[in-house]
Amino acid sequence: MNYKLLGMTLLTATLLHPDGEAQKINYPTTKKIDHVDDYHGTKVADPYRWLEDDRSDETAAWVKAENEVTFGYLGKIPFKQKIFDDLEKAYNYPKFSAPRKKGDYFYFYKNDGLQNQSVLYRQKGLNGTPEVVLDPNQLSADGTTRLTVFSLSKNGNYAVCGFSQGGSDWQEYQVMDMKTLRMLSDKVEWVKVSGAAWQGDGFYYSRYPKPEGSALAAKNENHQVFYHKVGTAQSSDKLIYEDPTNPQRFHTVSTTEDEQYASLYLSDRGKGLDGNGLWVMKRGEAKFTPIKEEITDFSYSIVENIDGGFLIETNENAPNGKVMKYITKTQDWQPFLPEKAEPLLSAGTAGGKLFAEYSKDVTSRVYVYDMQGKMQNEVKLPGLGSAGGFGGEQDDKFVFYTYTSFNYPPTIFRYDIASEKSSIFREPEVSFKPEDYETKQVFYPSKDGTKIPAFIVYKKGLKMDGKNPTVLYGYGGFNISLPPSFSPTRIPFLDQGGIFVQANLRGGSEYGETWHEQGMKLNKQNVFDDFIAAAEYLVKEKYTSPDYLAVQGGSNGGLLVGAVVNQRPELFKVALPAVGVMDMLRFHKFTIGWNWIADYGSSDNADEFAYQYKYSPLHNIKEGGKYPATLITTADHDDRVVPAHSFKYAATLQEKAGASSTNPLLIRIDTNSGHGASNTKKALETTADLYAFVFKNMGLVWK
């Protein structure tokens, strides 16, 4: 976006803050146009449609004017720098990823503490000397170029390196010679929703045609699969698969460990289908053959190829998931891991074993099976938290996994397959005492009586008198679970007497596909009811009160925040919607937004439109409403949930409630960032601004 300064008039509103200080908020007076859409006979005005043009000078001027107001407000908070310093200190310790073995080398990422991007290293053996493979911090002056993909060839001689600029979802692939650690001349552009699947002397990848119009906002259609041979130009890549008659489908390819099979996954979420088709092609064959030709609401994913067939993870007639054995010759399906009462999160193989991770009340349980499906043992975890990893190759003798919880910093464990024992491989050097903090899980009733789990985290000894600054966080969508996790920047907030609450709302995967379906499409209001009920529970139990309660969420969680503050504005003191889907009638018009129709439905459908229109954050802002102090956050390079959602929402909120509200209604628009901060510095700056805004508007001081 072009940020050159253009003139803009201002609208003045006087706000009285909790500390008694009167401030004048000069909101930009946003131009309105006469634009009306007809949805199935219902006329819907869209006066800020022009803000959808991310390349216009008018939009650039509006962004600049809004940022001047917002950063002017934030800059006057006297303890904001203290917050940043505390966050920086808490974050400044070495962070490692679990190693991954390929040939003689172990590869891992490390961040020394405050580096904008983690650095990729390798070493020979577990006791070798680490050497830098790739340092993304050297690729851009502001540290916003990210390494998004690192995929090694089977022999380890080459690696695909994917790069993203400024937080965009667009990627460029390059190829590194792993003997010299230098890039070859290969460049593959316009990659999105893709991995890099090696087979022989090249790899499969997925891309879109070069977009017409804005690369950050134009609708992406006709996803194509290509095969790139190392050492050749992209123009020579072989087109493997496309389906222009169904332009809003995803087509992705993966390969088995032995590279004997390529698997093609087809999804059609733009038509509201939540599952995928699955096709396979044996090496040397010319075309894919279907295992599951028809795309339905069931999902299928190859875990491993075995003699005569495949192990496939699926939720077909098993909402909690299962693993089946598919026999290629007869096309028969045989049970391997039957469905359990707990949802199956993942299944993977290593060292001749299958590792299956399940979720019990949102915490991990990991079991080891032999290759006939017989359970051999459970991996004993340190406590109630979340574990991830366990992948590897068939000749591995051990695997690594990472365990974490709210008061347990990510710790890397080594699991020895023969002895069935875990040992700490690397634990973080962080000045943090877990015993000083309390984590408890509660189950509270939602509006319809459904029990909803939530985690509550605070410092031991905190008095529950209803006056504790509390951040309630949620997501509730897309079959995504919110398991326990550690955040170093949360600790300073807890040290200030804060409470962090993570609610596991319907729409996620916490209790399998049934839980997901209860929070999607025409059931979306359940998610908002679950979140509101969480706030009411916290107030009832005197953890906090409406004067000290902030509500936070990002992306689908930004939609969640926007919806609940429209429905129950008096319940919250502060609202923090980040990169939210705020215009439920037009989300499918931009980039890959059509992909969300499977979860949200579409305004093109009369019944789904009527339902969406009743909760869409943009369309339900009340004229003259009294809203919580609101800090909307978005970024110029967010090409997943385009910033126009937040732009139009902010303009409408300021127009309808700016004069009537006694609280600030602001938007913070980051640059060279996307759907989340593009580097460490930006993440810390944003978090400091959010905490400063929360404390300021609760009448508190960060000490």
Side-chain angles (χ1 to χ4, degrees):
M1 184 181 289
N2 177 10
Y3 284 101
K4 71 180 184 180
L5 176 63
L6 294 177
M8 174 127 348
T9 58
L10 299 173
L11 173 66
T12 300
T14 300
L15 307 180
L16 187 63
H17 291 274
D19 57 10
E21 175 191 358
Q23 286 190 338
K24 287 186 176 181
I25 301 291
N26 296 320
Y27 298 120
T29 303
T30 308
K31 180 185 74 173
K32 298 178 71 173
I33 62 174
D34 184 16
H35 186 99
V36 177
D37 292 311
D38 187 319
Y39 293 91
H40 314 285
T42 299
K43 300 291 195 298
V44 179
D46 194 0
Y48 301 122
R49 176 70 62 88
W50 61 273
L51 284 170
E52 293 180 356
D53 185 355
D54 66 310
R55 299 183 299 168
S56 77
D57 288 341
E58 279 189 305
T59 301
W62 183 88
V63 167
K64 187 172 183 65
E66 289 284 354
N67 268 347
E68 286 178 350
V69 172
T70 298
F71 286 106
Y73 176 91
L74 295 170
K76 293 177 182 177
I77 300 176
F79 47 81
K80 185 167 79 77
Q81 185 60 47
K82 174 68 165 58
I83 295 176
F84 180 85
D85 292 343
D86 288 351
L87 298 181
E88 190 176 61
K89 181 179 179 182
Y91 198 82
N92 190 13
Y93 65 92
K95 305 168 191 67
F96 293 83
S97 71
R100 176 191 172 193
K101 186 174 181 292
K102 176 64 75 170
D104 295 332
Y105 288 97
F106 287 89
Y107 292 82
F108 62 93
Y109 292 92
K110 179 188 176 185
N111 191 304
D112 290 338
L114 295 175
Q115 290 175 287
N116 275 321
Q117 306 292 337
S118 295
V119 179
L120 177 63
Y121 292 85
R122 72 177 181 184
Q123 64 186 54
K124 279 194 174 183
L126 291 178
N127 298 314
T129 302
E131 64 174 332
V132 174
V133 175
L134 199 153
D135 182 359
N137 298 288
Q138 306 300 317
L139 302 179
S140 60
D142 61 357
T144 60
T145 297
R146 296 179 299 144
L147 176 62
T148 54
V149 170
F150 182 74
S151 177
L152 286 155
S153 61
K154 182 173 176 56
N155 58 17
N157 290 339
Y158 298 101
V160 176
C161 301
F163 300 99
S164 165
Q165 307 286 337
S168 170
D169 282 345
W170 288 115
Q171 299 172 84
E172 178 182 280
Y173 284 1
Q174 299 181 33
V175 178
M176 176 180 282
D177 183 330
M178 298 310 297
K179 293 179 180 177
T180 64
L181 300 185
R182 293 183 177 180
M183 293 295 181
L184 305 180
S185 60
D186 306 51
K187 282 192 177 181
V188 175
E189 298 179 313
W190 301 112
V191 179
K192 185 184 280 193
V193 190
S194 177
W198 283 93
Q199 191 174 66
D201 56 358
F203 58 90
Y204 299 96
Y205 69 94
S206 303
R207 61 159 290 180
Y208 284 103
K210 182 178 179 179
E212 297 180 4
S214 170
L216 298 176
K219 183 184 289 189
N220 303 142
E221 294 186 322
N222 193 22
H223 207 216
Q224 302 166 310
V225 176
F226 285 87
Y227 180 83
H228 177 83
K229 185 176 180 180
V230 172
T232 64
Q234 185 176 10
S235 58
S236 301
D237 290 355
K238 182 181 179 181
L239 177 64
I240 301 298
Y241 188 87
E242 68 173 342
D243 185 1
T245 60
N246 290 288
Q248 293 182 355
R249 285 184 173 182
F250 286 146
H251 310 130
T252 58
V253 167
S254 65
T255 50
T256 53
E257 180 186 326
D258 59 11
E259 296 188 356
Q260 289 304 302
Y261 292 91
S263 51
L264 173 66
Y265 296 88
L266 310 177
S267 66
D268 204 357
R269 293 177 58 85
K271 291 184 179 177
L273 299 171
D274 203 31
N276 64 274
L278 175 60
W279 299 57
V280 294
M281 179 171 62
K282 191 171 184 179
R283 190 167 182 174
E285 293 180 348
K287 63 178 183 178
F288 288 93
T289 57
I291 290 179
K292 280 291 181 178
E293 182 172 1
E294 184 180 358
I295 300 173
T296 66
D297 284 327
F298 296 131
S299 63
Y300 308 88
S301 177
I302 290 179
V303 178
E304 186 62 85
N305 60 315
I306 55 177
D307 288 341
F310 302 93
L311 294 181
I312 297 178
E313 182 181 343
T314 179
N315 62 358
E316 181 177 355
N317 301 320
N320 285 344
K322 61 185 177 182
V323 176
M324 299 289 288
K325 183 176 180 179
Y326 176 78
I327 308 302
T328 306
K329 185 176 181 179
T330 62
Q331 300 183 11
D332 288 336
W333 293 79
Q334 301 174 357
F336 188 82
L337 295 186
E339 182 184 24
K340 298 178 64 172
E342 298 81 23
L344 175 64
L345 298 183
S346 66
T349 59
K353 307 294 181 182
L354 185 142
F355 293 81
E357 180 187 358
Y358 292 86
S359 175
K360 182 176 176 57
D361 290 331
V362 208
T363 59
S364 293
R365 304 290 189 277
V366 181
Y367 303 95
V368 183
Y369 297 82
D370 65 21
M371 295 308 290
Q372 284 71 49
K374 181 181 178 181
M375 193 184 87
Q376 296 193 316
N377 63 283
E378 179 179 358
V379 178
K380 299 298 183 183
L381 301 176
L384 298 179
S386 57
F390 298 101
E393 299 186 345
Q394 289 305 315
D395 59 354
D396 286 344
K397 304 301 181 185
F398 53 85
V399 296
F400 295 99
Y401 66 91
T402 301
Y403 174 84
T404 186
S405 191
F406 292 106
N407 60 349
Y408 198 110
T411 301
I412 301 169
F413 288 81
R414 170 177 164 168
Y415 175 80
D416 185 82
I417 295 173
S419 68
E420 302 178 356
K421 302 294 184 183
S422 293
S423 58
I424 292 178
F425 174 75
R426 181 172 281 142
E427 55 186 337
E429 303 170 7
V430 53
S431 57
F432 166 75
K433 296 180 179 179
E435 63 273 14
D436 291 346
Y437 302 86
E438 183 82 23
T439 297
K440 62 191 298 186
Q441 187 179 35
V442 300
F443 295 84
Y444 64 89
S446 189
K447 183 178 181 179
D448 63 0
T450 302
K451 292 291 187 179
I452 310 298
F455 293 98
I456 303 176
V457 190
Y458 52 89
K459 199 163 188 180
K460 287 182 178 177
L462 187 67
K463 183 180 179 181
M464 300 306 167
D465 58 2
K467 296 182 180 180
N468 301 305
T470 300
V471 173
L472 171 59
Y473 180 82
Y475 187 78
F478 293 91
N479 208 27
I480 293 173
S481 177
L482 293 183
S485 63
F486 180 79
S487 169
T489 57
R490 189 182 299 140
I491 303 307
F493 170 68
L494 301 179
D495 289 343
Q496 294 288 325
I499 298 176
F500 176 77
V501 182
Q502 183 168 287
N504 296 103
L505 315 172
R506 283 175 284 185
S509 64
E510 284 84 348
Y511 294 99
E513 182 58 26
T514 302
W515 193 255
H516 174 214
E517 291 173 355
Q518 290 176 8
M520 59 189 289
K521 291 185 177 177
L522 302 185
N523 292 321
K524 192 66 178 175
Q525 183 60 41
N526 284 337
V527 185
F528 312 141
D529 291 342
D530 292 352
F531 211 36
I532 290 169
E536 292 173 333
Y537 174 85
L538 295 170
V539 172
K540 178 185 175 183
E541 298 297 322
K542 297 189 180 302
Y543 288 100
T544 190
S545 63
D547 284 339
Y548 298 97
L549 180 56
V551 62
Q552 183 181 29
S555 193
N556 175 73
L559 155 64
L560 170 68
V561 172
V564 299
V565 298
N566 279 336
Q567 295 178 14
R568 292 291 302 278
E570 81 289 351
L571 195 52
F572 312 103
K573 186 60 181 178
V574 179
L576 304 173
V579 294
V581 185
M582 300 310 208
D583 185 347
M584 294 306 300
L585 307 186
R586 287 181 55 77
F587 67 82
H588 55 303
K589 306 290 186 182
F590 305 97
T591 64
I592 59 169
W594 45 262
N595 175 53
W596 314 329
I597 291 174
D599 238 64
Y600 294 147
S602 169
S603 60
D604 295 336
N605 176 286
D607 292 338
E608 292 171 347
F609 157 74
Y611 192 86
Q612 291 172 332
Y613 193 37
K614 288 190 296 185
Y615 73 78
S616 176
L618 174 65
H619 300 98
N620 287 277
I621 297 171
K622 296 176 179 65
E623 186 80 43
K626 297 186 182 300
Y627 279 82
T630 302
L631 182 55
I632 306 155
T633 51
T634 187
D636 63 343
H637 276 60
D638 188 351
D639 48 2
R640 195 175 310 170
V641 180
V642 294
H645 283 277
S646 293
F647 292 176
K648 296 200 299 182
Y649 175 74
T652 305
L653 188 63
Q654 291 172 356
E655 175 211 343
K656 292 188 173 182
S660 58
S661 177
T662 57
N663 297 312
L665 309 172
L666 303 175
I667 181 169
R668 182 189 189 278
I669 304 147
D670 206 350
T671 58
N672 279 339
S673 242
H675 201 64
S678 56
N679 65 28
T680 296
K681 185 171 185 288
K682 287 179 176 292
L684 293 174
E685 290 172 344
T686 301
T687 305
D689 285 352
L690 293 175
Y691 280 144
F693 187 82
V694 167
F695 270 59
K696 170 69 174 176
N697 284 283
M698 291 181 181
L700 303 173
V701 175
W702 188 287
K703 299 176 182 178

